[in-house]
Amino acid sequence: ADTENHLIRMADLSSRSVTTILGTGTQAQAQNVSGTGTSVALNSPWDVLVHDGRLYIAMAGAHQLWVADPKTLHAGPWAGSAREDIQDGPLADAALAQPSGLTTDGKKIYWADSETSSIRQANLSDSTRVETLVGAGLFEFGDIDGATHLARLQHPLGVLYHDGKLYVADTYNSKIKILDPITRTVASFAGTGKGGYADGDLKTAQFFEPGGLAVIDDKLFVADVNNHRIRTIDLTSGQVGTLDIREGQISAKPVATPNP
């Protein structure tokens, strides 16, 4: 998702080449206009998710989720009316607010609606609707754990489904939180809530506006945006480290001298 170019790009890992597959390169000026390939105008795409032969796009600027066929390259709105708000309901009627990170458990798609500090979901079935897990309004935010109807986040950007839980990059709270979609509870997982940089255990480690999340081999990788680092969380030991990348070699050893 090439956000400020308003494009979807494809990197071929075998040929090591990059191709633009969707978007004109100019921000869309009209709402709900579907199209194909490089003739369809997009509006600040933020994230992409491939599932079951379809490409889902968090179209942050249009306050919608779009879907594209990777074979025909036809793309159009999937969820959201293009009105910025937090309103549940059928896909076309629901209101979203700057959707960002996307993830799925194979049955539902989950996303972070950043402007309403919310986490939303929709079934990947024919009869589907948007539902809110956490979040209450455009001006409702905070750092509160507990039942989802009472919990508050602040401008989350990333969300990742793993092992039955949703890991949330609670960006402006500088925390990683866990949302359990079954018990409908939210709990702080890593970070003190104060922006900074420190490795160590989950409660004392510090992040500075974390964004994207990924998991590999029981390690959670965090794009720690304002620290300009990739952080690691060992989901077994509960230790936070920093990915050390130098001269083509990668390790998850903590960096000895933090950068203030």
Side-chain angles (χ1 to χ4, degrees):
D2 194 358
T3 305
E4 292 196 14
N5 279 323
H6 312 287
L7 300 172
I8 301 297
R9 318 287 291 278
M10 180 181 68
D12 188 314
L13 303 183
S14 298
S15 65
R16 302 184 66 81
S17 61
V18 176
T19 306
T20 297
I21 62 170
L22 292 172
T24 64
T26 301
Q27 186 175 23
Q29 299 300 308
Q31 299 177 351
N32 298 311
V33 180
S34 302
T36 302
T38 55
S39 66
V40 60
L42 309 182
N43 192 341
S44 300
W46 192 273
D47 197 12
V48 293
L49 172 70
V50 176
H51 176 72
D52 198 22
R54 307 179 89 190
L55 178 68
Y56 294 89
I57 303 166
M59 203 71 73
H63 311 299
Q64 293 177 315
L65 298 189
W66 278 40
V67 66
D69 185 325
K71 294 180 179 179
T72 65
L73 296 183
H74 184 78
W78 183 74
S81 64
R83 181 173 63 87
E84 184 183 25
D85 204 345
I86 182 168
Q87 178 180 315
D88 293 346
L91 291 181
D93 300 330
L96 316 184
Q98 289 189 17
S100 300
L102 299 169
T103 192
T104 184
D105 62 359
K107 296 180 180 179
K108 294 180 180 180
I109 188 168
Y110 304 92
W111 68 93
D113 247 8
S114 300
E115 274 301 289
T116 52
S117 298
S118 64
I119 304 296
R120 319 284 292 278
Q121 68 176 20
N123 289 327
L124 288 166
S125 61
D126 292 335
S127 56
T128 187
R129 55 186 286 117
V130 172
E131 296 179 314
T132 299
L133 289 171
V134 180
L138 283 167
F139 306 104
E140 291 282 344
F141 56 86
D143 185 3
I144 302 173
D145 292 346
T148 53
H149 68 285
L150 298 174
R152 293 292 181 266
L153 310 171
Q154 189 170 5
H155 204 86
L157 288 176
V159 60
L160 173 73
Y161 181 86
H162 175 65
D163 200 21
K165 304 290 193 300
L166 290 170
Y167 290 83
V168 178
D170 193 2
T171 305
Y172 284 5
N173 284 325
S174 292
K175 282 184 175 182
I176 307 301
K177 294 188 177 181
I178 293 179
L179 192 165
D180 189 322
I182 303 300
T183 63
R184 298 292 180 100
T185 56
V186 175
S188 294
F189 176 63
T192 64
K194 181 180 179 181
Y197 172 69
D199 288 331
D201 62 65
L202 296 173
K203 299 301 181 185
T204 60
Q206 287 185 306
F207 302 86
F208 197 173
E209 296 192 4
L213 301 171
V215 67
I216 305 173
D217 296 333
D218 217 31
K219 273 195 172 65
L220 183 68
F221 292 81
V222 182
D224 196 4
V225 177
N226 281 357
N227 279 321
H228 312 287
R229 301 181 189 274
I230 303 298
R231 312 291 295 282
T232 63
I233 303 176
D234 191 309
L235 299 178
T236 301
S237 68
Q239 290 295 303
V240 177
T242 299
L243 196 67
D244 188 9
I245 306 174
R246 60 183 72 184
E247 295 181 0
Q249 296 183 351
I250 300 175
S251 68
K253 296 178 181 178
V255 173
T257 305
N259 180 358

